[in-house]
Amino acid sequence: LTVTQRLDFTPPARPLPALRRLQGPFVHRVEASDGRSIEILVSPDSPDFVPLADVPPLFLRTLLLGEDANFFGHRGIDLAELPSAMATNFARGTFVRGASTISQQLAKNLFLSRKKTLSRKLEEVSLALLLDSTLGKQRVLEIYLNVIEWGPRLYGLRPAARHYFGKEPSALTPKQMVFLVSLIPGPVKYQQSFATGSPTPFFDGLMTTLLAKLRSADALSEGE
């Protein structure tokens, strides 16, 4: 499979109200995996909120390498990963790989259900384009880090860093950063991968692969 990209997208003259409200403080309501509702205050007034400026640059580098390496090069969607994702899905007969950008992941978290259908995927793509054009890359990243799930009833980078390591995000070691980023694709499913107190060989492999990517990108020295 080969894909040639050509994006013809003009943002609306006036941003949609549902997206414009995200430019400032807002409350995000999410239904946890146990069915209970949780409110997340995305605002400097919340003790759990972490401004993008306070996120370690190495964590951001780790996140982008793990989830969306071309984040600053696309406008919300990136079809470069589509061929391998389609091949994997066809081979397994189900949706196992979505090739979603961070903007698409945020769209799904803020507005859409977890149901994997083609129509929902098209909604996700449309919303990702609108999110990027309305908010800009920095705000998309900031909201993403403060609302995504990192475990059962655990949302946002600061609560995740405190829960798993008893630290603020600024104090995380490289391997702890890699642990958190490796959790993102399956934050609830992967809980069994370290239930005994240390990672399983599978999850350790995920972390090792991401550490190798950081080294190959010179984000980490050989000593580190």
Side-chain angles (χ1 to χ4, degrees):
L1 292 169
T2 59
V3 172
T4 301
Q5 300 188 62
R6 185 177 67 84
L7 180 62
D8 184 7
F9 168 69
T10 302
R14 298 177 62 184
L16 299 177
L19 301 184
R20 191 172 59 242
R21 77 179 186 90
L22 304 178
Q23 293 172 335
F26 67 96
V27 174
H28 174 52
R29 292 175 177 84
V30 61
E31 184 177 311
S33 53
D34 60 7
R36 287 185 285 179
S37 180
I38 296 175
E39 289 191 350
I40 303 168
L41 176 60
V42 183
S43 165
D45 292 336
S46 169
D48 291 335
F49 179 79
V50 56
L52 189 63
D54 291 349
V55 179
L58 181 60
F59 188 93
L60 294 177
R61 191 78 181 274
T62 306
L63 173 67
L64 297 185
L65 278 175
E67 291 296 305
D68 189 355
N70 193 35
F71 176 72
F72 286 103
H74 61 66
R75 297 175 63 189
I77 63 172
D78 184 4
L79 302 184
E81 289 292 315
L82 189 59
S84 55
M86 289 179 64
T88 301
N89 292 338
F90 280 131
R92 301 193 186 182
T94 185
F95 287 103
V96 294
R97 184 174 175 187
S100 293
T101 64
I102 281 176
S103 304
Q104 287 174 254
Q105 292 178 43
L106 181 60
K108 178 177 65 178
N109 275 272
L110 291 178
F111 299 110
L112 302 174
S113 71
R114 297 169 184 253
K115 191 175 181 181
K116 293 183 178 180
T117 63
L118 180 58
S119 60
R120 199 224 67 184
K121 195 69 177 179
L122 291 172
E123 288 182 292
E124 178 186 298
V125 166
S126 303
L127 284 165
L129 291 168
L130 292 167
L131 280 169
D132 262 38
S133 64
T134 301
L135 303 178
K137 294 292 187 181
Q138 303 292 326
R139 182 59 173 167
V140 166
L141 263 183
E142 184 172 69
I143 296 174
Y144 179 88
L145 288 169
N146 282 282
V147 302
I148 64 167
E149 188 176 23
W150 256 295
R153 297 181 60 80
L154 186 61
Y155 297 87
L157 174 58
R158 176 161 279 148
R162 291 170 173 168
H163 173 78
Y164 290 111
F165 303 113
K167 294 182 176 181
E168 290 298 305
S170 59
L172 293 169
T173 67
K175 194 167 186 181
Q176 289 168 344
M177 295 178 189
V178 164
F179 172 89
L180 291 174
V181 171
S182 297
L183 272 179
I184 291 173
V188 176
K189 177 179 68 175
Y190 287 158
Q191 295 297 305
Q192 289 303 311
S193 296
F194 48 87
T196 61
S198 59
T200 61
F202 164 76
F203 198 78
D204 195 58
L206 292 181
M207 293 192 293
T208 299
T209 298
L210 189 47
L211 282 166
K213 286 183 179 181
L214 286 168
R215 177 68 191 99
S216 66
D218 286 329
L220 289 177
S221 68
E222 192 61 39
E224 288 171 318

